[in-house]
Amino acid sequence: MTTLLRRSLFTASAILCAPALSRAQGQARLLVIGGGFGGASAASFARRSYPWLDVTLVEPQPRFITCPYGNLVIVSEKPIEEITHGYDGLRARGVRVIQDWAEEIDPIARRVRLREGDALLYDRLILSPGIAIRFGAIEGYDEVAAGVMPHAWTAGDGAQMLLLRRQLEAMPDGGVVGLASPPNPFRCPPGPYERISMIAHYLKRHKPRSKILALDAKDVFSKQALFQDGWSALYPGMIEWVPLAGDGRVVRVDAREGVLETEFGTRHRVHVGNVIPPQSAARIASASGLTDRTGWVPVNTRTFEAQAAPGVHVIGDANTLGPMPKSGFVANSTAKQAVASAAALLRGETAPEGVYFNTCYSHVGAEFGISVVNIFRPSADGMGITEVPNSGGVSPRGDLPEQRRLEAGYADAWYTSITADMFR
Amino acid sequence: MSRRHGLVLGRGIGLAFVAISIALTAPARSQPGPLAAQGCLGCHGPNGAGSGGIPGLAGRDPSELATAMAAFRANDRPATIMNRVARGYTEAEIAAVVAYFAGMQ
């Protein structure tokens, strides 16, 4: 055996034995990065279901503002406090919460470098970092432009949502709200269309001569027929939706002039511009070498381990899972499968068979809710994922006021339930 | 032998050590109930206790729950979304979920 081999054997063994030593002293270390729908769900579920896991959560924000129901905050239907959640419930469950930025993962050493604090070692890592806005993907749309034409698509400290709310409040009656929707895949597929609906709901009551110009980089969108039925019924003549084929893709923005420019050079001047740009996995995923050329993280569909880094389970909007939408419910559902898989693998067992559940409600108007339901299963080899045939689907079309009223109420109940599941 | 091969071999030894260590120290296997039931909680509330207009599931009569789910699957019962949900699960999964919630207080 060469000296080099002996040295590397010693190094690798020392590193890989570290988790075993920590377990011998008590508990296996589950580190969770990101305190949103994926990460908070994972931390809570881990403590409830596997008390032998030592759970640490790293999250830069002191409180989490949800994107779901953000569209109601933007139009003053809800105060932002009602969608803001602290981490005391998770602390009470025994989760150690560290307020810091996770900068980079070393999956061989099983170590995460933090911006401020000491590096953290883990036995299994749950990475739920969310998305990054791809500034520069639309010419002229950078962080400065986002201070004039908000995206309001990552909640952060809430500043983007509140900026858009102030701009809508300040807009004169008769103004034009321009909204640019991104190509697939992106966070919350029905989100832009719920936002269009909620802005229309606000304008109808407060600025009824105003219009919404909805420019889209796609020709079809989630729950399209239901949204468009609702728009015709509730807001006739107010919303103009321009698909990709109708020159709807915004390629250039002049934030100071209030101009959204589309592919074939049409310049739309708007009073309020809401630009939802193309997205990718958050920066830590690319900085740690987990993303592929699409900018998202390919994962094993059963364990959610990154294909580039076993032991790092990537959940939430940052991963790429074929037909599964980037939704809060999917993040919650897959968080539990990822934690159950991590727990099983730590004990030398096989990961459980997966079944992933999604329901996305959208508000179209007052007491007017619609939904899409999906049930997915991973393939046995963890390489693929399929939707269960003849299951799920969208709400029925037609003049169904009781169905719409019930679904709006169920949406509220969903929000209460899922945030309790995450934070308590 | 290259450094890369050395690392692979070293990892194998490390994992063997980990496995032995776990066998000695980990507590008995404990599962958190069927994972399929976790999907229900997103709407039906923590511990399936219900939320707003969404009914509770915990402590319900198992035959009542099973009958309702079978009717949702067959489109024999009025539903807003549960008919769409119920068709996504196998009969075995539904039976396990029903037993789980029926057994809760």
Side-chain angles (χ1 to χ4, degrees), chain B residues 2-103:
Chain B
S2 71
R3 185 174 175 82
R4 176 178 294 271
H5 286 126
L7 272 170
V8 169
L9 181 55
R11 186 177 297 174
I13 293 170
L15 287 177
F17 188 85
V18 168
I20 293 164
S21 170
I22 292 167
L24 292 173
T25 60
R29 182 188 177 103
S30 70
Q31 280 300 324
L35 277 169
Q38 288 294 324
C40 311
L41 307 182
C43 293
H44 288 272
N47 302 313
S51 175
I54 298 179
L57 304 173
R60 296 274 285 271
D61 178 63
S63 64
E64 178 203 358
L65 290 176
T67 303
M69 287 298 282
F72 284 135
R73 273 165 65 94
N75 257 343
D76 283 342
R77 180 182 166 127
T80 44
I81 82 160
M82 277 309 298
N83 49 346
R84 290 178 268 157
V85 175
R87 289 196 295 268
Y89 293 92
T90 64
E91 288 182 18
E93 282 169 336
I94 289 174
V97 169
V98 163
Y100 173 71
F101 284 115

Side-chain angles (χ1 to χ4, degrees), chain A residues 336 346-347 349 377 410 417, chain B residues 22 29 38 43 80 93:
Chain A
K336 293 167 177 178
L346 278 167
R347 303 153 74 106
E349 298 164 3
R377 293 179 192 276
Y410 290 171
S417 293
Chain B
I22 292 167
R29 182 188 177 103
Q38 288 294 324
C43 293
T80 44
E93 282 169 336

